[in-house]
Amino acid sequence: MKKRKTFDIIFDILNYTFMIILVIFSLYPFINTIAVSFNAGMDTIKGGIYIWPRVWTLENYKAVFESGTVFHAFFVSVARTLLSVSLGLFLTSLIAYVLSRKEFIFRKQITAVFVFTMYFNAGLIPNYFLIKNLGLINNFAVYVIPGLVNAFNMIVIRTYIRGLPESLVESAKIDGASEFKIFLRIILPLCKPVLATVGLFIAVGSWNSWFDTFLYASSRQNLSTLQYELMKLLSASMMKNASSAMAAGGVNAQEMSAKLVTPVSLRAAITIVAATPILLVYPFLQKHFVTGLVVGSVKE
Amino acid sequence: MKEGAASHQSVPQRPRDRKYSWDAIKKQKELILMSIPFCIYIFIFSYLPIWGWSMAFQNYRLGKSFFEQEWAGLKHFKLLFLDEGFGRVIRNTVAMSFINLVLGFATAIILALLLNELKNRLFKRTVQTISYLPHFLSWVIAAGIVSSVLSSDGIVNDLLMKLNIIDKPVLWLSVGKYFWGVVGVSTVWKELGWNTIIYLGAMSAIDPTLYEAAAVDGVGRLRKMWHITLPGIKPTVIILLIMSIGRLLEAGFEVQYLLGRGMTMDWAETIDIFALNYGIKIGNYSLGTAAGIFKSIVSIILIFLANGLAKKIGEERLI
């Protein structure tokens, strides 16, 4: 018995140590980026910045917000995210409501056709031509319309609606309410927790995507998004070409050297600007998305 | 099932058909009307692109109408399978998704088991919240972080040199044979915490009396984990494994595109990048489409195999 107790204590110590190491692994790269973003660019080049800036400065952030390109891209990102979330939530929960109704005669067929899209994709080039034929190339709508409704989010909301008492719908029907009214007035207000979850999923997807800009809107600078600007900076810095990196960031090279902002420090500042909005939100929705994910991943 | 067969013999019209009578349709016209726009939407964005597969059987030229295109039969598929590069692309795709699968499953299950052993609730919640953080970063940000962590003066080389494991910096991102490992470890870093959510959910559904009974019998901690917790999450693990079979060719392309460079392309190029390079960059749409069709068809076959497998072992069907 005593042996077991010492084993338990050793296990706990090792386990807690492991968790602390895990936390460091998850957090360190991000904290390091924050430190670099607040450190003077020329000083960062010397190396040795870990978790705290050595020469404090706000110049990197100033460069980000004074650069018209990045500032504009920030607003495009905000706009696409807000539109995707509001439209996507409404439409996804509408179809989820319809498919949650057990007596609906086409429920199985429509669900199957829908769920199949989780596993099937016609491919990059046919999709490109579809977007082109729909006139969505270099069009802001390409950020919102193609990803409006997806099967996974539908399943998560549908499962939640199924958990609500059926008598709600039945008694409303007896009162003569139309299906749309039942959805809008009764079901939707009860769905707040699951809408928070799916809203987060949609927001993260929209805010974080860069590939749609790259593929469908890269020739229109005023449609560029924050993630795409960051991607251009990243690929330029990988080519180790500082001047093109600066040009990619939309920051005038002369302006930059005058302010002692380097591509590395500029990238760090944009990274923090691009990451912060979501990192501020997700901890508060943790309880909801945990349940939503468990429901959506395993259930049909 | 039996009932249906019996009624089929005695009554010519099966009860099934009555379900779709005009009466039923009229009664549910609102639900039907509400679902029609979605069906059209799904048709356009998910199924209509299949029409584009015709490009793979033509020598597709931009600006010509469908009827003016020159038909080429299976020429592009032959070219594809004769292309030495395509074999390499398939190897990369399968290898990376396999590595991600094995690493992803193993690390997530182990972490979930260990998290489940934490008694301090606040500590457990804090660790969980922090471990989700990298999941919420985009791959652009994650790739930036990976490239600076792995750079010649990055922290990984720093540490390895201080520990005297290496005597000069390793150029992790410039050597082809490291690429799969770099992608695997980066993916684990990004998704580890997130992937534990489902397993922890399954663990919280395990009947606590099982643990109590085991404690009364004096069963130790490791044996409880092995004999109660692991069997408790087994159905979840199996269904997730089966689902991932259908995604064997979905190695992704974001991370490969962002971290790959000229010198590592032989190891980084996946089917999607191949299609992108041939199709949209060079303008050989036919070959790019053929590569995409190959991927789609293999994925469909895999998902139906997985679906059948799931049915066989008595799990919920996926589709």
Side-chain angles (χ1 to χ4, degrees):
Chain A
M1 218 53 201
K2 204 180 161 201
K3 215 173 166 188
R4 178 146 294 155
K5 238 182 181 164
T6 33
F7 172 80
D8 266 11
I9 291 168
I10 294 170
F11 182 91
D12 275 331
I13 293 173
L14 287 177
N15 199 9
Y16 278 82
T17 320
F18 173 79
M19 291 302 162
I20 289 164
I21 295 172
L22 177 82
V23 165
I24 294 172
F25 265 95
S26 304
L27 273 184
Y28 171 76
F30 191 68
I31 291 175
N32 177 251
T33 312
I34 297 179
V36 170
S37 76
F38 282 109
N39 197 55
M42 286 315 192
D43 182 69
T44 304
I45 294 171
K46 289 179 212 151
I49 302 294
Y50 296 106
I51 61 169
W52 206 250
R54 195 163 40 211
V55 184
W56 280 85
T57 177
L58 286 174
E59 287 305 320
N60 302 322
Y61 287 95
K62 261 194 198 154
V64 169
F65 287 104
E66 276 168 10
S67 143
T69 340
V70 180
F71 201 54
H72 190 268
F74 180 80
F75 277 103
V76 175
S77 288
V78 170
R80 66 170 287 175
T81 305
L82 290 180
L83 263 173
S84 297
V85 170
S86 47
L87 279 175
L89 274 184
F90 179 76
L91 295 173
T92 311
S93 45
L94 182 64
I95 190 66
Y97 167 69
V98 173
L99 295 180
S100 75
R101 296 289 300 276
K102 290 210 171 75
E103 74 271 26
F104 180 43
I105 50 177
F106 298 114
R107 181 175 62 92
K108 280 201 173 140
Q109 292 85 335
I110 296 178
T111 309
V113 165
F114 214 171
V115 171
F116 190 59
T117 62
M118 278 169 77
Y119 303 97
F120 173 78
N121 188 324
L124 197 94
I125 293 169
N127 279 323
Y128 178 82
F129 277 93
L130 175 81
I131 297 294
K132 200 175 153 199
N133 292 331
L134 291 172
L136 292 175
I137 299 278
N138 290 330
N139 183 335
F140 179 76
V142 81
Y143 291 147
V144 181
I145 293 175
L148 214 43
V149 185
N150 85 47
F152 181 83
N153 292 340
M154 187 279 289
I155 293 172
V156 172
I157 300 180
R158 192 196 59 183
T159 312
Y160 187 86
I161 295 178
R162 275 195 187 155
L164 300 171
E166 271 179 57
S167 56
L168 282 173
V169 176
E170 279 157 24
S171 60
K173 273 186 107 173
I174 292 167
D175 292 343
S178 69
E179 293 286 357
F180 186 72
K181 223 173 200 170
I182 298 175
F183 162 71
L184 203 64
R185 297 276 162 79
I186 300 171
I187 301 298
L188 205 54
L190 290 172
C191 283
K192 274 177 202 147
V194 76
L195 293 184
T197 309
V198 172
L200 178 74
F201 292 160
I202 300 176
V204 172
S206 185
W207 181 261
N208 279 349
S209 79
W210 57 276
F211 197 69
D212 46 11
T213 316
F214 171 74
L215 210 52
Y216 305 130
S218 53
S219 52
R220 280 269 301 273
Q221 182 58 47
N222 64 352
L223 284 178
S224 185
T225 55
L226 203 52
Q227 301 288 342
Y228 187 59
E229 289 302 314
L230 205 52
M231 182 263 174
K232 285 196 280 184
L233 267 179
L234 176 70
S235 51
S237 73
M238 278 200 152
M239 291 183 289
K240 300 263 178 210
N241 187 336
S243 64
S244 76
M246 290 183 198
V251 179
N252 185 305
Q254 274 180 335
E255 193 183 315
M256 217 146 106
S257 57
K259 284 189 175 138
L260 305 175
V261 173
T262 62
V264 170
S265 57
L266 184 70
R267 208 177 83 205
I270 300 182
T271 298
I272 299 307
V273 173
T276 308
I278 284 170
L279 298 190
L280 286 181
V281 177
Y282 89 85
F284 300 100
L285 296 173
Q286 182 164 336
K287 202 178 80 199
H288 296 315
F289 68 67
V290 166
T291 343
L293 197 70
V294 171
V295 159
S297 304
V298 188
K299 285 255 166 73
E300 163 250 7
Chain B
M1 226 38 231
K2 256 186 186 164
E3 223 176 318
S7 64
H8 184 69
Q9 279 179 342
S10 51
V11 194
Q13 218 182 22
R14 283 179 296 165
R16 221 189 122 99
D17 293 332
R18 218 171 297 148
K19 193 177 152 195
Y20 300 104
S21 67
W22 282 111
D23 268 3
I25 290 176
K26 240 189 231 164
K27 220 172 138 193
Q28 300 194 348
K29 64 171 188 296
E30 279 182 85
L31 290 177
I32 294 172
L33 274 176
M34 282 157 92
S35 61
I36 285 174
F38 289 97
C39 296
I40 297 173
Y41 175 86
I42 293 297
F43 174 74
I44 292 177
F45 283 96
S46 298
Y47 294 102
L48 192 60
I50 297 174
W51 172 253
W53 284 9
S54 60
M55 284 185 286
F57 303 96
Q58 302 167 331
N59 292 322
Y60 187 83
R61 295 255 178 287
L62 270 182
K64 279 189 181 177
S65 83
F66 177 75
F67 299 100
E68 291 163 358
Q69 300 291 347
E70 184 192 340
W71 290 90
L74 292 174
K75 177 183 135 193
H76 296 289
F77 288 92
K78 278 183 201 146
L79 283 176
L80 192 66
F81 292 118
L82 289 176
D83 188 342
E84 208 186 308
F86 191 64
R88 209 161 41 218
V89 163
I90 292 177
R91 179 201 66 180
N92 294 343
T93 309
V94 174
M96 275 185 272
S97 80
F98 187 75
I99 291 172
N100 288 351
L101 187 87
V102 174
L103 268 183
F105 265 86
T107 52
I109 292 171
I110 292 170
L111 179 61
L113 278 174
L114 293 177
L115 277 168
N116 199 42
E117 293 297 316
L118 293 176
K119 283 175 205 107
N120 186 325
R121 287 211 148 178
L122 182 70
F123 183 77
K124 182 179 167 189
R125 237 188 98 97
T126 314
V127 173
Q128 279 177 276
T129 309
I130 293 173
S131 72
Y132 302 153
L133 185 142
H135 168 81
F136 288 99
L137 303 175
S138 67
W139 263 120
V140 176
I141 293 178
I145 284 174
V146 169
S147 73
S148 67
V149 164
L150 292 182
S151 67
S152 54
D153 52 356
I155 184 125
V156 170
N157 277 319
D158 242 26
L159 274 178
L160 289 178
M161 285 198 327
K162 270 177 194 152
L163 294 171
N164 283 326
I165 297 174
I166 51 174
D167 48 359
K168 61 176 195 289
V170 177
L171 297 169
W172 299 104
L173 286 169
S174 308
V175 181
K177 63 180 178 187
Y178 295 147
F179 194 82
W180 297 349
V182 168
V183 168
V185 172
S186 311
T187 311
V188 166
W189 174 73
K190 196 168 178 300
E191 305 298 339
L192 174 59
W194 188 254
N195 287 341
T196 60
I197 292 179
I198 296 166
Y199 300 122
L200 286 167
M203 284 174 193
S204 66
I206 296 174
D207 184 1
T209 55
L210 288 177
Y211 292 103
E212 285 155 24
V216 171
D217 291 346
V219 174
R221 207 154 167 181
L222 286 178
R223 284 181 61 200
K224 273 193 230 163
M225 285 160 82
W226 185 255
H227 290 291
I228 301 173
T229 316
L230 270 180
I233 62 167
K234 201 174 123 195
T236 311
V237 175
I238 288 174
I239 194 112
L240 288 180
L241 263 177
I242 290 173
M243 279 167 85
S244 58
I245 295 175
R247 303 217 169 97
L248 195 64
L249 294 187
E250 293 289 344
F253 55 87
E254 276 196 65
V255 57
Q256 290 86 355
Y257 192 89
L258 293 166
L259 287 178
R261 300 167 180 190
M263 358 174 197
T264 52
M265 256 312 147
D266 277 356
W267 303 79
E269 197 177 11
T270 61
I271 296 179
D272 293 296
I273 298 179
F274 180 88
L276 183 77
N277 286 342
Y278 267 98
I280 288 152
K281 282 199 183 146
I282 308 180
N284 190 342
Y285 298 104
S286 298
L287 197 67
T289 307
I293 293 176
F294 172 79
K295 186 187 157 197
S296 301
I297 301 273
V298 174
S299 296
I300 294 173
I301 295 172
L302 287 173
I303 192 64
F304 276 107
L305 280 178
N307 207 32
L309 194 65
K311 243 192 278 180
K312 211 168 206 172
I313 58 168
E315 293 291 339
E316 266 181 283
R317 285 182 309 141
L318 311 171
I319 294 178

